[in-house]
Amino acid sequence: MSLEFNQNEDRNKLAVSRLKSRLRKVYAGGGKKAAEKQQAKGKMLARERIQHLLDDDRPWLEIGALAALEMYEEAGGCPSAGVITGIGYISGRQCVVVANDATVKAGAWFPMTAKKNLRAQEIAMENRLPIIYLVDSAGVYLPMQDEIFPDKEHFGRIFRNNARMSSEGIVQIAAIMGACVAGGAYLPIMSDEAMIVEGTGSVFLAGSYLVKSAIGESVDNETLGGATMHCEISGVTDYKHPDDQACLNAIRNVMNMIGRPEDAGFDRIKPALPERDMREIYGILPDSREKPYDMKEIILRLTDGSQFEEYKAQYGQSIICGLGRIDGWAVGIVANQRKAVKNGKGELQLGGVIYSDAADKATRFILNCNQKKIPLVFLQDVTGFMVGSRAEQGGIIKDGAKMVNAVANSVVPKITIIIGNSYGAGNYAMCGKAYDPRLIYAWPSARIAVMGGAQAARTLLQIQTASLRAAGRNIEPKEEESLLQEITAQYEKQTTPYYAAARLWIDGIIDPLDTRQVISMGIAAANQSPIKRPFNVGVIQT
């Protein structure tokens, strides 16, 4: 291997190591003391509950593990937004699991907690997956109630989704394993079935302190909303269990009896590993987002048998399109080519840039995949669409709009992996978060922003210096350079995949070697939701 390959490999492996280190910290939740406090009550920790619930021999795909990273620091932080969500298998059936982490602020709901819960419900609804709620929460974090309570995509939307999922026949099972207070009490009770753990589970609209202050009644929480009261007097809960393990085992038993899901009919054969070594991805991917590389070499390390049938290989080469299989599933791949190419006229085209011919090709390929009922996989490393008078005269806006239209109206499932750059309108055309990918994950090498750091920083500097000069301040070159460095550092931080993952712009950051499993689990989930909507792009620029 070349020196450059080895340097790339070292840098990318180090980035993965840093990712795993950060995840280990997140997995610790609120820390050792908080964990011991929960265990002293006879409760399992949230991750222990999930582990007990899931099938040992099947994969678990966590959603939003890095949510709220480095956010809410004035409140002491909120690791993983205080709730663990993901896709796993229970008694052989693929499900979404949502588990409050009571070691993090007693499981209180921060703004990102609501957003993460809504994302989990969205995945369950899109894919018609059963959803299991392991409830253990003190309710809304009151100092931030204005950011979590009143708006459309806030706390109340969760209960709206409970009702909608029930009406659509999507199974919801809730286990009350700790506190379940105020508005949050509706979540388990609006599920199809509600279980409660004796001694630790409680559910009420108002706790004993609030009841005392509101109506003057003195009552303890167990009498107010404990397991015995709700199972024997109110009838609010359906099953009472002596401990966490018994409750989780009961959920497994229920999941073992539910009917089979409908099949969307996506094609799958016996899986095969890539012939080319996946670990070579570390050496192929450059240590800089500006350096070129051949995206086909990445694709051949993701597809079964390293087989890839490229579509229009000599046309619109700045986007690679083609058919292959990933873990046995048939997929259509749309990927940005990151090395410079020459078109049929001999004109140079820059890597990572979408040109008119590439947008035209990608649009037709997306239409074809919808026609053939083949799921789409987008591999993003895009700096945007080509600009300049020549591109504008060639109709780049028209061709870009055509591609965006096809992506937006696509009815087959879409899964997006951000490998490198994800800038500007390129993010949209390559199925960014706004375009409803069933799953969207990033590698540690990803960068997500409206434009690259250098261009953005220079633009922001011009705006700031113009404002200062308008206010009568003369900016010296040294001060201008210092300001540029400050702007660049701030902007670069905002483009990292960690910043995006913290805000759930992406579902998570993964080791490149886990990409095949993520895609496979996403399509397996989508295969349980038959396509009902006809494919129609409406009025399209031609």
Side-chain angles (χ1 to χ4, degrees), residues 315 349 354-361 386 391 394-397 399-400:
Y315 177 74
Q349 294 185 337
I354 302 176
Y355 292 79
S356 281
D357 54 355
D360 177 70
K361 177 177 78 172
M386 189 57 189
I396 187 65
I397 296 176
D399 293 316

Side-chain angles (χ1 to χ4, degrees), residues 17-272:
S17 177
R18 287 172 179 159
L19 167 64
K20 292 179 178 178
S21 176
R22 279 192 155 183
L23 287 172
R24 281 193 295 271
K25 290 179 182 177
V26 164
Y27 295 159
K32 187 177 179 181
K33 280 190 177 180
E36 289 172 348
K37 186 177 178 181
Q38 294 299 314
Q39 290 166 330
K41 298 176 182 178
K43 295 162 66 174
M44 299 171 72
L45 302 179
R47 290 188 180 276
E48 292 174 342
R49 289 168 176 168
I50 292 173
Q51 187 176 15
H52 187 91
L53 187 62
L54 296 176
D55 296 346
D56 292 332
D57 60 342
R58 304 298 293 275
W60 160 253
L61 177 60
E62 189 155 347
I63 308 290
L66 294 163
L69 182 72
E70 297 179 350
M71 297 174 67
Y72 312 126
E73 291 183 345
E74 70 286 355
C78 188
S80 218
V83 63
I84 302 159
T85 61
I87 303 172
Y89 291 82
I90 303 172
S91 299
R93 182 66 185 268
Q94 197 177 39
C95 305
V96 172
V97 180
V98 177
N100 297 112
D101 186 351
T103 70
V104 180
K105 300 291 187 296
W109 289 60
F110 284 70
M112 285 306 302
T113 315
K115 186 172 183 177
K116 187 170 174 179
N117 273 266
L118 288 170
R119 175 59 178 150
Q121 288 184 322
E122 179 183 41
I123 290 169
M125 294 169 79
E126 284 182 330
N127 300 293
R128 299 191 61 81
L129 295 179
I131 183 166
I132 314 299
Y133 306 102
L134 306 181
V135 185
D136 193 347
S137 170
V140 167
Y141 184 67
L142 286 176
M144 294 184 179
Q145 64 85 27
D146 62 322
E147 297 178 52
I148 186 174
F149 172 71
D151 209 349
K152 180 179 178 180
E153 297 296 332
H154 282 180
F155 197 46
R157 188 76 171 184
I158 291 161
F159 317 131
R160 174 265 191 193
N161 287 348
N162 287 140
R164 291 292 293 270
M165 281 191 277
S166 183
S167 74
E168 293 173 16
I170 298 169
V171 173
Q172 300 175 85
I173 300 172
I176 301 166
M177 310 184 84
C180 186
V181 184
Y186 287 106
L187 185 149
I189 310 311
M190 293 188 73
S191 298
D192 301 331
E193 293 178 305
M195 304 179 181
I196 188 167
V197 177
E198 193 170 11
T200 55
S202 60
V203 55
F204 33 67
L205 292 181
S208 56
Y209 293 119
L210 183 55
V211 167
K212 177 69 175 176
S213 65
I215 63 174
E217 181 185 3
S218 295
V219 60
D220 64 86
N221 283 340
E222 188 64 26
T223 304
L224 188 65
T228 299
M229 191 283 286
H230 279 309
C231 285
E232 297 181 14
I233 299 175
S234 73
V236 164
T237 50
D238 305 311
Y239 305 94
K240 180 172 69 172
H241 298 289
D243 52 38
D244 283 7
Q245 290 89 341
C247 184
L248 297 168
N249 290 340
I251 294 173
R252 288 186 57 82
N253 289 338
V254 172
M255 290 305 301
N256 195 38
M257 298 182 190
I258 67 173
R260 292 181 181 177
E262 289 186 66
D263 192 323
F266 303 127
D267 188 66
R268 192 183 196 189
I269 62 173
K270 184 178 178 180

Side-chain angles (χ1 to χ4, degrees), residues 40 44 46 63 117 150 186 273 294 383 424 463 468 517 529 533 536:
M44 299 171 72
I63 308 290
N117 273 266
Y186 287 106
L273 292 172
D294 190 350
T383 54
I463 293 169
L468 290 169
Q517 180 174 293
S529 180
R533 182 168 62 88
N536 178 11

Side-chain angles (χ1 to χ4, degrees), residues 317-389:
Q317 295 177 67
S318 71
I319 291 182
I320 302 165
C321 300
L323 301 175
R325 290 188 182 273
I326 292 179
D327 200 36
W329 294 104
V331 296
I333 296 173
V334 181
N336 302 108
Q337 176 57 281
R338 275 307 312 271
K339 70 174 186 178
V341 295
K342 285 188 177 181
N343 64 15
K345 298 176 182 178
E347 299 166 333
L348 185 69
Q349 294 185 337
L350 303 175
V353 178
I354 302 176
Y355 292 79
S356 281
D357 54 355
D360 177 70
K361 177 177 78 172
T363 301
R364 188 169 177 84
F365 180 73
I366 291 165
L367 301 181
N368 266 312
C369 286
N370 276 271
Q371 182 86 337
K372 298 181 177 77
K373 205 157 75 170
I374 299 174
L376 287 160
V377 173
F378 291 83
L379 303 178
Q380 284 197 16
D381 195 344
V382 57
T383 54
F385 285 86
M386 189 57 189
V387 297
S389 59

